[in-house]
Amino acid sequence: MDNAEQQFLNDLDTKFWKAADKLRANMDAANYKHVVLGLIFLKYVSDAFDARQKELKGLFEDKSNPDNIYALSRDDYGTEEAYQQAIAEELEVQDYYTEKNVFWVPKLARWETLKTNAALPVGTVLGKDDSGKNIIMTSVSKLIDIALDTIENSNPKLKNILNRIGHYQLGNDLLISLINVFSDTSFSEPKYNGVKLNLKSKDILGHVYEYFLGQFALAEGKQGGQYYTPKSIVTLIVEMLQPYNGRVYDPAMGSGGFFVSSDRFIEAHADEKHYNAAEQKRNISVYGQESNPTTWRLAAMNMVIRGIDFNFGKQNADTFLNDQHPDLRADFVMANPPFNMKEWWNAKLEDDVRWQYGTPPQGNANFAWMQHMIHHLAPKGSMALLLANGSMSSNTNSEGEIRRAIIEADLVECMVALPGQLFTNTQIPACIWLLTKDKSGGNGKAHRKGEVLFIDARQIGFMKDRVLRDFSSDDISKIADTFHAWQTDKDYEDEAGFCFAATLDDIKKNNFVLTPGRYVGAAEQEEDDESFVDKMSRLTTQLKEQLLEGVELEKQIKTNLEGLGYEL
């Protein structure tokens, strides 16, 4: 993005957040996200629908292209009025939208209808429902719920997904002001300082949705972090795995960040791979699972906003006790499950088929998540898992034995140590495990059996504020490019303090501990040409100067205070 586009999005974030933040005076932060994200969802699906409708209208009226199968001839309808009526009826044919993966939005759920009806007096008859009963304007929150109802009824995949807001008893004026703020921005033709921007409505609303998820995670602290993984970390994992096609699975999906990033990855690399992004996306199947009902719904809404087809199971459910995809064998598995999860065990899990490398300890689910993912991995599949650093070295209970068994099975492909302060909800240092069931090479990859790449990225990144650290695009490229260079055996070299390609014998000598710092060594220090005597002389002189400056500053402060009537 150029500066104008980034500034446009920043201003939009601020504008929307200030408008939404007014709701906090009326409700808890954990609840008002449902109102805001519900409206963003309605705005997006309506905008996408309107864009497709505008495109269709042009196709219906265009007879100049002989290959245009949509064109309607005026001669077939007699009068202009009959012709326009025919076009209006065709524009309401649902198949025209679903064939382009655009969600069907009934009239009562369209944004302009919602905005218009919200301004009508209470008691106004708005139309009839499917049973023929009058729909009466009672409150704006009820109008929003009606819109959500009609979308769910017309799109079975969203059944029981969208959160209703009527029970929050929010005032009409407050909701109307929020609707007006969302309306007062052109998502289809955005401009900044009069200059048209190269941003699509999907990109803008997707960005706003993710921004709000991040803000809610910050506002809610640890609990909010359940559904938000830092965008840069998600991007890093996707860039390393490169999920171009196949089945993609996240057993602890949160709000679906890995799927969104996979979608972006395909779009970003379309030109260099010489494929059509829209067609390539049809080669991706998305599967996910989430236990938290709120987060499960947010993930589904996030997929709809992005136009990603998905299968998140029949319901929100515990991944260990109620696997929603028992027969799935995925080509790519990515997850950021809760670190060091304690309350996870159930007697039903004893002798579970997933514990191929040993039964995980009942007080920590780290290796339960890992083995669940390995179980769901296709014979040539690859996976990436974010875990607490302890997973790389702990020998508590059975963890050491499980880690050893996984290493000896030659499943571990790469280990990445991450810097601290990356997450809004925990300060626990984290790492990325990258595993694969096939290191034999092929498809551009080198034979890497019996080898593991270690990357120490603890010194990489920047402080985005006083609390949180982040990765830049260059940081992400440095790590991902190093991994791919090693995978393909093209221009890879060990770099002291950053990366090292180890053998299984090297790892065995380190008692099967996978901490990258043990393998990459220390970074080379720049040679210092200054002699010890010269350096001591320079530093002593510098210290004397600073001490003299301190004395003068102390005198000045004393003089200023005495001038104000203070005696020292």
Side-chain angles (χ1 to χ4, degrees):
M1 263 186 279
D2 61 30
N3 291 335
E5 290 168 347
Q6 189 61 61
Q7 192 58 50
F8 170 82
L9 292 176
N10 291 342
D11 292 349
L12 199 63
D13 291 340
T14 302
K15 174 183 173 181
F16 284 177
W17 183 254
K18 284 182 178 179
D21 212 33
K22 295 176 182 177
L23 292 172
R24 279 209 291 188
N26 300 77
M27 59 199 308
D28 186 86
N31 291 323
Y32 86 101
K33 66 170 173 278
H34 299 308
V35 180
V36 177
L37 294 175
L39 283 173
I40 293 174
F41 171 81
L42 283 175
K43 175 63 173 165
Y44 175 74
V45 294
S46 187
D47 274 18
F49 180 88
D50 289 345
R52 175 60 176 161
Q53 193 169 69
K54 183 178 180 180
E55 178 188 20
L56 285 168
K57 192 172 189 303
L59 289 171
F60 293 151
E61 295 175 342
D62 181 14
K63 288 186 64 181
S64 62
N65 181 359
D67 296 325
N68 181 7
I69 62 173
Y70 295 93
L72 301 177
S73 173
R74 282 179 169 82
D75 298 337
D76 295 337
Y77 297 95
T79 66
E80 180 66 20
E81 183 179 356
Y83 175 65
Q84 292 300 329
Q85 179 62 31
I87 289 178
E89 291 173 0
E90 285 292 303
L91 288 173
E92 296 299 323
V93 175
Q94 188 168 344
D95 288 347
Y96 288 135
Y97 302 88
T98 54
E99 71 181 7
K100 293 293 185 180
N101 203 27
V102 174
F103 264 79
W104 170 255
V105 183
K107 288 184 178 181
L108 277 172
R110 295 171 197 171
W111 190 261
E112 282 305 312
T113 304
L114 176 64
K115 182 181 177 183
T116 300
N117 288 345
L120 295 175
V122 172
T124 302
V125 176
L126 305 175
K128 295 185 182 296
D129 61 20
D130 294 337
S131 64
K133 293 182 180 179
N134 285 340
I135 300 173
I136 299 173
M137 165 60 181
T138 56
S139 66
V140 177
S141 59
K142 179 64 176 175
L143 286 179
I144 295 171
D145 284 353
I146 290 171
L148 297 172
D149 286 339
T150 56
I151 285 180
E152 277 198 0
N153 292 336
S154 301
N155 300 279
K157 185 163 279 192
L158 285 178
K159 197 67 177 174
N160 301 320
I161 292 290
L162 307 177
N163 278 298
R164 308 303 189 265
I165 70 168
H167 59 284
Y168 293 132
Q169 298 180 336
L170 294 167
N172 287 349
D173 291 343
L174 186 60
L175 289 174
I176 289 173
S177 68
L178 198 54
I179 289 171
N180 288 337
V181 169
F182 283 129
S183 301
D184 188 29
T185 300
S186 174
F187 294 100
S188 57
E189 295 183 354
K191 294 181 180 179
Y192 186 75
N193 288 338
V195 179
K196 187 175 180 180
L197 304 177
N198 187 28
L199 290 172
K200 298 177 182 177
S201 61
K202 180 181 74 171
D203 298 322
I204 298 170
L205 276 158
H207 167 87
V208 171
Y209 194 88
E210 289 181 17
Y211 171 78
F212 271 83
L213 284 176
Q215 290 299 106
F216 288 130
L218 287 170
E220 295 177 46
K222 184 175 181 179
Q223 183 180 0
Q226 289 177 353
Y227 59 84
Y228 185 75
T229 305
K231 181 179 174 182
S232 60
I233 305 304
V234 175
T235 302
L236 171 61
I237 286 176
V238 170
E239 288 287 340
M240 295 182 80
L241 281 188
Q242 297 185 314
Y244 282 111
N245 51 60
R247 298 170 297 274
V248 180
Y249 174 52
D250 184 348
M253 66 182 179
S255 59
F258 282 113
F259 303 133
V260 171
S261 194
S262 297
D263 187 68
R264 280 208 202 92
F265 174 83
I266 291 173
E267 291 184 348
H269 294 273
D271 291 339
E272 67 187 58
K273 293 292 181 180
H274 306 294
Y275 59 68
N276 180 282
E279 292 179 0
Q280 185 66 30
K281 288 179 188 180
R282 297 192 187 103
N283 297 325
I284 289 285
S285 302
V286 165
Y287 299 84
Q289 181 154 352
E290 174 61 40
S291 61
N292 184 299
T294 297
T295 312
W296 184 68
R297 291 186 176 96
L298 290 177
M301 292 165 65
N302 205 4
M303 296 305 99
V304 173
I305 280 177
R306 287 288 177 179
I308 302 172
D309 195 23
F310 62 94
N311 182 344
F312 292 164
K314 295 180 180 179
Q315 61 191 35
N316 61 289
D318 185 294
T319 300
F320 299 126
L321 294 173
N322 188 5
D323 190 345
Q324 293 288 292
H325 309 286
D327 300 322
L328 174 65
R329 295 298 178 268
D331 301 287
F332 302 97
V333 185
M334 302 175 276
N336 173 26
F339 293 168
N340 303 324
M341 185 176 169
K342 292 181 171 61
E343 303 297 327
W344 74 279
W345 180 257
N346 187 291
K348 296 177 182 177
L349 296 173
E350 196 71 51
D351 299 322
D352 193 288
V353 67
R354 290 170 288 186
W355 315 146
Q356 184 179 350
Y357 303 96
T359 302
Q362 297 183 13
N364 193 318
N366 285 345
F367 284 96
W369 286 111
M370 187 179 297
Q371 292 192 83
H372 173 87
M373 292 170 68
I374 293 171
H375 174 76
H376 281 288
L377 204 58
K380 291 185 176 294
S382 299
M383 58 175 267
L385 173 64
L386 266 168
L387 283 179
N389 275 359
S391 62
M392 298 187 289
S393 58
S394 172
N395 289 312
T396 304
N397 298 317
S398 58
E399 288 184 344
E401 288 83 359
I402 296 172
R403 184 174 60 252
R404 175 173 179 164
I406 291 172
I407 293 169
E408 290 181 333
D410 204 12
L411 294 176
V412 182
E413 189 173 22
C414 179
M415 298 296 303
V416 181
L418 298 172
Q421 295 178 270
L422 287 171
F423 299 89
T424 59
N425 58 324
T426 180
Q427 294 302 310
I428 298 175
C431 61
I432 303 173
W433 290 66
L434 289 108
L435 286 75
T436 183
K437 284 192 173 180
D438 185 11
K439 293 185 185 178
S440 61
N443 293 325
K445 293 183 180 180
H447 183 283
R448 286 300 187 188
K449 283 191 172 183
E451 297 180 42
V452 176
L453 177 65
F454 289 91
I455 297 177
D456 191 343
R458 289 177 297 171
Q459 304 305 314
I460 291 179
F462 65 97
M463 295 301 295
K464 62 189 294 186
D465 54 38
R466 291 181 299 172
V467 179
L468 290 174
R469 194 174 187 88
D470 205 355
F471 283 153
S472 68
S473 58
D474 288 341
D475 296 329
I476 292 170
S477 295
K478 177 179 174 65
I479 299 169
D481 290 350
T482 299
F483 176 57
H484 296 147
W486 173 80
Q487 269 190 324
T488 58
D489 200 18
K490 292 179 181 177
D491 303 321
Y492 172 80
E493 290 184 4
D494 292 336
E495 180 183 329
F498 177 63
C499 62
F500 180 78
T503 65
L504 294 186
D505 285 339
D506 293 330
I507 297 172
K508 184 177 181 180
K509 291 175 184 176
N510 279 280
N511 296 317
F512 297 95
V513 170
L514 294 176
T515 307
R518 288 204 177 195
Y519 300 90
V520 303
E524 295 182 6
Q525 301 295 319
E526 293 184 8
E527 292 187 11
D528 192 350
D529 295 331
E530 188 176 19
S531 69
F532 177 77
V533 174
D534 290 342
K535 181 179 287 188
M536 282 300 297
S537 176
R538 174 175 60 79
L539 292 175
T540 301
T541 301
Q542 185 177 338
L543 177 60
K544 287 179 179 178
E545 292 174 352
Q546 290 175 343
L547 290 173
L548 288 173
E549 288 178 4
V551 171
E552 290 300 317
L553 182 60
E554 186 177 345
K555 289 180 180 178
Q556 185 63 46
I557 293 172
K558 184 176 180 180
T559 301
N560 291 343
L561 288 173
E562 288 174 347
L564 294 172
Y566 293 95
E567 293 186 6
L568 298 177

